[in-house]
Amino acid sequence: MSERCDLLVVGGGINGAGIARDAAGRGLKVLLVEKDDLASHTSSASTKLVHGGLRYLENFKFRLVAESLREREVLLRNAPHIIWPLRFVMPHEPGMRPNWMLRIGLALYDRLGGPRTLAGSHRVDLRKAPHCASLQERLRTGFEYSDCWVEDSRLVVLTAMDAEARGASVRTRTECVALDRQRDCWTVKLRFESTEREVKARAIVNAGGPFVDRMARIALGQGTPAHLRLVKGSHIVVSRRYPGEHAYIFQQPDRRIVFAIPYERDFTLIGTTDLLYEDDLDRVEISTAENDYLREAASRYFKSGIAVDEIVSTFSGVRPLYEDNAGTNSTVTRDYVFELDSDEGAPILSVYGGKITTYRKLAEHALAKLGSALPIPGEPWTKQVPLPGGDMAGADFARFLWEASDSYDWLPAEMLLRLSRAYGTRITKLIGKARSLNDLGRHFGGDLYEAELTYLVRHEFARTSEDVLWRRSKLGLHLNPQAKADVGEWFDQKQLV
Ligand SMILES: Cc1cc2nc3c(=O)[nH]c(=O)nc-3n(C[C@H](O)[C@H](O)[C@H](O)COP(=O)(O)OP(=O)(O)OC[C@H]3O[C@@H](n4cnc5c(N)ncnc54)[C@H](O)[C@@H]3O)c2cc1C
């Protein structure tokens, strides 16, 4: 007999994970399937900002910006380990967006989201500000404002973990390959490795991100209209360009903006581009032209330019934007849109667009929309509930770290900080009964020990070295090739996939 669930969520990116968590917490029997790893597509390739999106104001996207700013506060409170405040410096020069426009924009940005804990915006004299000493001397004035940083792929994993803790079944490397609609349910074919199995679901959420149109056609037929505009964005990672924990936002001659952000202690992240994408969605890579664009964009501002051989890593993703026929790839809406199809039988809800920042509200709205076709028990609940590891007194990460340094005084400071950031209060589960580094098992290099790999397999759905080195952590940037190969071998021996 086929397995049965109330809701099958297809797609383990941020939106699928968010909807699965919310629905499971309301008492629905949820199955979340992801064809690759959690966050292996767009949700690990973002700029990693929980932000209102200052630049969306010039396109009058007030609803989106206000909701995002409100969510900034909610997410910061619920996941203070993986989300933290970030100050941005935006240099200003004649010929760019006028001064008055930036002032009005920032004043609105400070107020649109209602009460906030983050510092407000102000003008800055770049020649006198010591933290701006790495900028070229012609730059005299600028503005400073706040947003937040988020470990995007960890946000997805923690959200999926919480969904599982509330009863959802989360299956990675499981692809939804066929959907057949009846009056009261869907018969779904799922493929895991070479095995296929059937599941019956009362409703489907299609949260396939860039694959959402493809999924809708599998469900509703080849004639189903496409709604996506696929826009590629790439980032380059270079060795650290400047001291300090602030980020920069650089306006470009083509009116686009490019961020430079402190990344993984030793690096600076520079991104992003905006290019229409029609290639293979499973293999999205930076092009030479994007590479050059980003290097030039940052070199316009930093005293020392960026050479090709200074790039240590890159990543690219595709924004699954809802096609609103706006002029450019930068101005097409970042807001989310739902398509609910329930006329011909059991419902399917397809999710278009969205941002990491708005995923929690998107999930609430998705369930409200689905509620017209399927009884959804319970009320919205996620606003007040921390994500795994985020249950810190007063959402105060500094205090948590201080206390952790007492409990684990044998952990090197850098390692304690990394583990506290990644796992928050769940660090106790990872460390277990260990009382010294030796108790953490095999040492792979840097500050990676076997205990962390075991934890990631047991609790965070990790199945390969990629899952660990590039998504649940960014240790891939820090470990040498031999250490990375050793992690790969460790996984091979476990034979998890
Ligand atoms: C360059 C760039 C920068 C960005 N910066 C930011 C930012 O700073 N802040 C912000 O808030 N947002 C940002 N975004 C937007 C944000 O990253 C996306 O909106 C979000 O990650 C989309 O999540 P998703 O769950 O819809 O898609 P995805 O993360 O792509 O997830 C969809 C998943 O569905 C799976 N799937 C598809 N078909 C099937 C199937 N048949 N069976 C099983 N699984 C399937 C895929 O494998 C995939 O993992 C950025 C996006 C890009 C590209």
Side-chain angles (χ1 to χ4, degrees):
M1 193 161 128
S2 314
E3 182 183 354
R4 284 172 183 274
C5 64
D6 295 318
L7 191 61
L8 173 78
V9 180
V10 181
I14 191 61
N15 291 328
I19 294 167
R21 176 188 186 226
D22 195 336
R26 296 190 202 200
L28 288 180
K29 186 163 190 256
V30 177
L31 172 56
L32 170 66
V33 293
E34 164 54 52
K35 70 185 176 66
D36 300 310
D37 180 27
L38 295 169
S40 50
H41 291 272
T42 313
S43 297
S44 56
S46 83
T47 308
K48 306 174 203 319
L49 302 178
V50 166
H51 65 158
L54 180 60
R55 116 192 124 78
Y56 308 144
L57 286 178
E58 66 186 358
N59 304 325
F60 309 110
K61 303 290 183 199
F62 298 118
R63 192 210 78 79
L64 173 65
V65 177
E67 180 175 272
S68 303
L69 290 171
R70 282 194 298 274
E71 279 306 286
R72 206 175 59 172
E73 292 289 332
V74 173
L75 297 182
L76 187 57
R77 199 173 56 237
N78 289 337
H81 48 331
I82 57 161
I83 300 177
W84 57 87
L86 191 57
R87 285 297 276 175
F88 284 80
V89 175
M90 175 166 44
H92 182 258
E93 280 189 286
M96 296 177 165
R97 290 164 179 88
N99 228 313
W100 62 262
M101 190 188 202
L102 293 173
R103 277 173 193 271
I104 293 175
L106 286 166
L108 258 179
Y109 205 67
D110 283 345
R111 287 168 185 78
L112 258 182
R116 66 180 153 79
T117 54
L118 300 179
S121 61
H122 60 73
R123 205 177 150 275
V124 58
D125 183 339
L126 298 177
R127 288 165 307 178
K128 291 196 183 135
H131 63 295
C132 297
S134 327
L135 296 179
Q136 291 179 14
E137 264 138 30
R138 67 163 205 287
L139 300 162
R140 294 167 173 209
T141 62
F143 297 91
E144 255 190 57
Y145 69 96
S146 296
D147 263 321
C148 286
W149 174 262
V150 57
E151 299 291 349
D152 54 2
S153 36
R154 289 207 57 73
L155 184 68
V156 178
V157 171
L158 297 182
T159 303
M161 278 167 74
D162 203 51
E164 188 183 53
R166 291 169 198 282
S169 175
V170 177
R171 294 188 205 150
T172 61
R173 271 97 193 171
T174 303
E175 182 171 5
C176 173
V177 288
L179 287 154
D180 182 36
R181 175 141 79 178
Q182 286 97 50
R183 225 176 62 75
D184 324 320
C185 77
W186 289 87
T187 303
V188 185
K189 209 173 267 171
L190 299 178
R191 185 181 298 143
F192 172 74
E193 294 173 349
S194 51
T195 328
E196 282 187 0
R197 62 189 297 189
E198 207 176 83
V199 169
K200 292 209 184 288
R202 292 169 67 207
I204 307 288
V205 166
N206 169 13
F211 305 86
V212 69
D213 275 338
R214 190 185 293 178
M215 267 306 300
R217 285 182 178 151
I218 291 177
L220 302 170
Q222 287 309 315
T224 309
H227 292 299
L228 279 183
R229 186 187 303 195
L230 296 171
V231 177
K232 177 165 75 147
S234 295
H235 294 81
I236 56 174
V237 178
V238 297
S239 59
R240 195 160 184 135
R241 301 312 287 181
Y242 59 93
E245 291 311 312
H246 58 290
Y248 290 106
I249 171 167
F250 296 144
Q251 299 183 71
Q252 300 302 318
D254 60 3
R255 285 186 71 80
R256 297 196 61 261
I257 48 151
V258 167
F259 294 106
I261 307 175
Y263 191 51
E264 286 291 309
R265 190 190 62 208
D266 305 328
F267 305 96
T268 300
L269 179 66
I270 298 170
T272 171
T273 50
D274 259 329
L275 292 169
L276 210 58
Y277 189 75
E278 288 170 344
D279 232 321
D280 184 353
L281 287 173
D282 283 305
R283 225 163 274 111
V284 187
E285 284 171 356
I286 193 167
S287 66
T288 313
E290 287 177 286
N291 220 312
D292 293 345
Y293 177 88
L294 292 173
R295 281 189 308 106
E296 279 161 24
S299 301
R300 263 184 206 110
Y301 286 85
F302 286 128
K303 276 183 183 150
S304 55
I306 296 168
V308 184
D309 59 3
E310 286 180 275
I311 297 174
V312 292
S313 178
T314 65
F315 60 86
S316 304
V318 175
R319 300 174 181 85
L321 303 178
Y322 189 76
E323 179 58 89
D324 62 357
N325 299 310
T328 72
N329 297 329
S330 301
T331 56
V332 59
T333 184
R334 265 57 176 166
D335 216 339
Y336 48 84
V337 176
F338 302 117
E339 295 280 337
L340 177 66
D341 187 310
S342 56
D343 292 347
E344 313 279 317
I348 179 167
L349 181 84
S350 296
V351 178
Y352 293 87
K355 298 166 62 190
I356 298 276
T357 309
T358 49
Y359 89 98
R360 195 197 64 81
K361 276 312 281 187
L362 179 151
E364 282 184 1
H365 286 146
L367 292 182
K369 181 94 184 170
L370 201 55
S372 63
L374 176 85
I376 307 275
E379 294 292 318
W381 61 275
T382 53
K383 187 172 179 185
Q384 312 293 347
V385 182
L387 284 166
D391 50 337
M392 292 169 190
D396 185 344
F397 179 78
R399 185 166 134 201
F400 167 75
L401 185 62
W402 175 256
E403 287 165 5
S405 67
D406 239 13
S407 314
Y408 304 116
D409 55 0
W410 48 272
L411 276 179
E414 285 290 350
M415 180 172 175
L416 176 70
L417 175 61
R418 183 179 74 76
L419 296 182
S420 301
R421 275 282 175 221
Y423 305 105
T425 57
R426 290 183 63 92
I427 190 174
T428 51
K429 280 219 172 334
L430 191 156
I431 303 276
K433 294 195 170 92
R435 294 286 172 271
S436 72
L437 288 174
N438 279 340
D439 296 340
L440 295 177
R442 179 174 166 194
H443 181 218
F444 287 86
D447 59 19
L448 179 64
Y449 291 80
E450 189 164 11
E452 188 170 355
L453 296 184
T454 306
Y455 172 87
L456 290 170
V457 168
R458 235 178 241 161
H459 300 284
E460 295 202 1
F461 317 100
R463 293 292 173 269
T464 69
S465 61
E466 276 272 297
D467 299 356
V468 166
L469 298 176
W470 296 106
R471 286 184 285 277
R472 275 125 192 105
S473 81
K474 295 289 181 291
L475 287 166
L477 278 171
H478 301 281
L479 295 180
N480 66 33
Q482 183 57 53
K484 287 190 256 192
D486 290 346
V487 175
E489 236 167 63
W490 186 89
F491 272 97
D492 289 346
Q493 279 161 13
K494 296 264 161 202
Q495 292 194 332
L496 296 165
V497 278

